[in-house]
Amino acid sequence: MKETGIRGGRWMFVLFAFMIFFSIYVQKQQEVQETGAQQEGKRQQEAMVSPEAQGMQADAGADTGEKAESMQTDAAEETEREQADVGERKIALTFDDGPHPVYTELLLDGLKERGVKATFFVVGKNIPGHEKVILRMAQEGHLIGNHTYDHADVSRLSSSQVCEEFQKTSDLVEEITGEATPYVRPPFGNWDDELDCLSSMIAVNWTIDPLDWTTANTAQVVERVVTEAAGDDIILLHDYYKSSVEAALQIVDILQARGFSFVTVEELLLE
Ligand SMILES: [Zn+2]
């Protein structure tokens, strides 16, 4: 029994010792795993902020910063420009082919209401019987220009015929207003400044042509002009069409609201 008791005690001791070793082993293994996990986590963190990643983050930061800054600068400059432009942006309305027996006076009424000065390149043969309209243009501060007598394509005429085309209209305007006009707009844009009789004349082009004579769609003409309008533009329209006259007045309302002021071609060119 004693022997059994001693043997049993030895087994108990062996078992106890094994349990201690086993628990120590398990604990060590856990420590190793934890350290490994920590190291792995640290490596991952390092990878996230590796010099390359740090550089990329820095670049991205700088890039975003620059973009934001440049956008802010652009916006500020735009606002400054808009503020500076208010009341300073000048634009000129020009009307060719008139006077029309009805529409030109409707246009003059509308321009007067809005305090707008425009430029009229008149066709001489349309004047007889409508001298009052020419006189009214001059009295209300508009500039009168010359668009030949017969709406002639001067490239198809002899030198003397070209001179006559401009001279006849100039004479008519001077008879009515007391003042000859040096401003001309040659029909179809054809112009020969080599001619002596034209040497003192000033040919006036345009920068915005909504092709108003090709459509009766007022809204389309308005849209074409107001989307293009910047400072110092010369808008080409024709007071010979009702839709063009209506478009002109709508253009004035829209652009005046945007801070444009309407001036004659002379005022625009003299700057
Ligand atoms: Zn014309």
Side-chain angles (χ1 to χ4, degrees), residues 96-97 147 151:
D96 290 6
D97 297 3
H147 198 47
H151 201 266

Side-chain angles (χ1 to χ4, degrees), residues 61-268:
D63 203 23
T64 313
E66 271 171 28
K67 272 181 194 157
E69 202 178 312
S70 95
M71 279 167 73
Q72 279 174 352
T73 312
D74 286 352
E77 281 173 4
E78 186 63 30
T79 310
E80 268 177 36
R81 262 201 301 278
E82 276 171 12
Q83 283 169 349
D85 284 345
V86 169
E88 283 182 20
R89 277 194 294 191
K90 290 182 176 175
I91 197 159
L93 276 175
T94 65
F95 299 94
D96 290 6
D97 297 3
H100 182 272
V102 178
Y103 304 140
T104 303
E105 291 231 74
L106 285 179
L107 176 60
L108 289 171
D109 292 342
L111 294 178
K112 192 177 180 183
E113 275 171 34
R114 293 163 175 78
V116 167
K117 309 293 180 229
T119 304
F120 291 86
F121 291 96
V122 297
V123 169
K125 70 177 180 188
N126 292 339
I127 296 175
H130 304 285
E131 291 84 353
K132 266 194 334 195
V133 181
I134 300 296
L135 188 60
R136 185 180 165 191
M137 286 174 185
Q139 286 172 340
E140 293 182 359
H142 302 293
L143 185 71
I144 299 171
N146 188 335
H147 198 47
T148 75
Y149 191 83
D150 292 304
H151 201 266
D153 180 352
V154 298
S155 69
R156 296 167 177 269
L157 302 179
S158 68
S159 301
S160 63
Q161 284 175 318
V162 172
C163 294
E164 202 185 319
E165 276 288 335
F166 287 103
Q167 195 59 50
K168 274 166 76 178
T169 298
S170 184
D171 290 348
L172 262 178
V173 171
E174 192 173 1
E175 275 171 33
I176 299 163
T177 66
E179 217 176 320
T181 174
Y183 297 100
V184 297
R185 177 172 280 157
F188 315 108
N190 292 325
W191 179 243
D192 181 4
D193 56 5
E194 301 276 296
L195 288 175
D196 280 348
C197 70
L198 304 182
S199 62
S200 62
M201 295 183 180
I202 302 163
V204 178
N205 240 311
W206 57 87
T207 61
I208 298 177
D209 180 4
L211 299 173
D212 61 316
W213 55 277
T214 63
T215 175
N217 186 336
T218 303
Q220 198 176 55
V221 174
V222 172
E223 185 64 19
R224 284 173 182 170
V225 173
V226 300
T227 52
E228 275 188 60
D232 298 336
D233 274 310
I234 297 178
I235 302 164
L236 170 61
L237 289 166
H238 298 79
D239 52 330
Y240 220 78
Y241 308 98
K242 192 173 185 226
S243 53
S244 298
V245 167
E246 288 169 350
L249 298 177
Q250 288 180 31
I251 288 163
V252 169
D253 291 339
I254 293 168
L255 294 184
Q256 276 185 335
R258 290 190 195 166
F260 284 87
S261 72
F262 286 87
V263 297
T264 64
V265 159
E266 187 169 53
E267 194 175 332
L268 206 64

